[in-house]
Amino acid sequence: MPTEPQLEPHYLPLDGLDGGRFHATFSTTGPWFADAQHAGPPSALLIRALERCDARPGTELARVTVEVIGPVPAGEVRVHAQVERHGRAVELLAAELVAGGRPVLRARAWRMATGDTSAVAHGSADPLPGPETVPARTERPPGWLPGFIDSMEWRWLRGWLAEPGPGTVWARPRVPLVAGEEPSPLQRLALVADSGNGAAAPLDLQQWLFVNTELTLHLHRAPQGEWIAVQAQTVVGPTGIGTVSGLLFDSRGQVGRCAQALLVRPR
């Protein structure tokens, strides 16, 4: 029988938890190529940097966009973040992930001061059945490489990785994002949200590539807890371009939306 992949934290800090250098382990590698990271872990690492950037109480990240500049190799990466526009109520943040001496991911985020709008809150989707209502699935579809997919616990409410069409899945990491600390709920959300194109995989991975070039998160409240769900669907157009859109949930209900642009090509 095949051996279980050896899982490690997604990243090992090379300069301590407050430093900017990390080693990306096997647990980050995606289903497409054995030497490249799935975009979920580096997106979560960028969000970690954004959360720690001149952090102020009473603020939340309301929108984050991660641009995939190029393939993200496993191995050493560097991350840094900065405030691009200061403000009392609204700030624009930026973060960059560098591998092999070149930028491979860039992120921008709007950080907003919070206020009490609980009396007028409305429009959120109904909560989903919880992850405890469905069993975990640990198998990989044929052609899907090990790594990141094994580092997460997946519980499917609708669909599966090998089933084309819309999908809804709860997930939580089985390993820390960064060795020596617990990931924040927003970091957990990024790990799951970037799997929207996998949850709603429209085509057979053995015959088609459908790679996202970005991930955008819009959040109307901060996520809580360790379980995050994405309810995603994919549209493939006639010219090799597609889109993924999804709703994001924690155990209390919807927290926001996610979107991805896709490059679709035959293998």
Side-chain angles (χ1 to χ4, degrees), residues 91-117:
E91 293 181 309
L92 181 63
L93 312 181
E96 185 174 74
L97 187 144
V98 175
R102 62 181 180 85
V104 289
L105 290 183
R106 290 195 178 106
R108 277 194 167 82
W110 286 106
R111 183 166 64 191
M112 298 185 181
T114 57
D116 185 4
T117 53

Side-chain angles (χ1 to χ4, degrees), residues 29-49:
T29 57
W32 311 101
F33 307 105
D35 58 350
Q37 297 184 53
H38 186 282
S43 296
L45 193 64
L46 284 174
I47 282 181
R48 178 183 182 271

Side-chain angles (χ1 to χ4, degrees), residues 3-112:
T3 59
E4 181 73 11
Q6 185 63 42
L7 295 177
E8 300 179 84
H10 292 115
Y11 296 99
L12 306 178
L14 299 177
D15 296 321
L17 292 176
D18 294 326
R21 290 194 309 133
F22 302 87
H23 175 78
T25 71
F26 167 80
S27 297
T28 67
T29 57
W32 311 101
F33 307 105
D35 58 350
Q37 297 184 53
H38 186 282
S43 296
L45 193 64
L46 284 174
I47 282 181
R48 178 183 182 271
L50 292 168
E51 289 180 315
R52 296 160 67 96
C53 180
D54 292 342
R56 293 193 296 129
T59 63
E60 294 178 6
L61 295 179
R63 193 272 286 167
V64 180
T65 294
V66 177
E67 308 285 4
V68 182
I69 309 301
V72 186
E76 183 175 327
V77 298
R78 295 174 180 265
V79 179
H80 70 272
Q82 64 187 31
V83 179
E84 287 198 336
R85 175 197 182 277
H86 291 270
R88 294 177 59 187
V90 179
E91 293 181 309
L92 181 63
L93 312 181
E96 185 174 74
L97 187 144
V98 175
R102 62 181 180 85
V104 289
L105 290 183
R106 290 195 178 106
R108 277 194 167 82
W110 286 106
R111 183 166 64 191
M112 298 185 181

Side-chain angles (χ1 to χ4, degrees), residues 108-163:
R108 277 194 167 82
W110 286 106
R111 183 166 64 191
M112 298 185 181
T114 57
D116 185 4
T117 53
S118 56
V120 295
H122 74 285
S124 186
D126 292 336
L128 296 174
E132 72 282 355
T133 63
V134 288
R137 296 191 67 169
T138 59
E139 71 272 31
R140 290 187 303 274
W144 288 58
L145 299 176
F148 171 71
I149 190 173
D150 304 282
S151 77
M152 303 288 289
E153 180 178 352
W154 307 93
R155 293 178 178 252
W156 292 85
L157 295 175
R158 180 186 181 187
W160 184 54
L161 293 170
E163 297 177 8

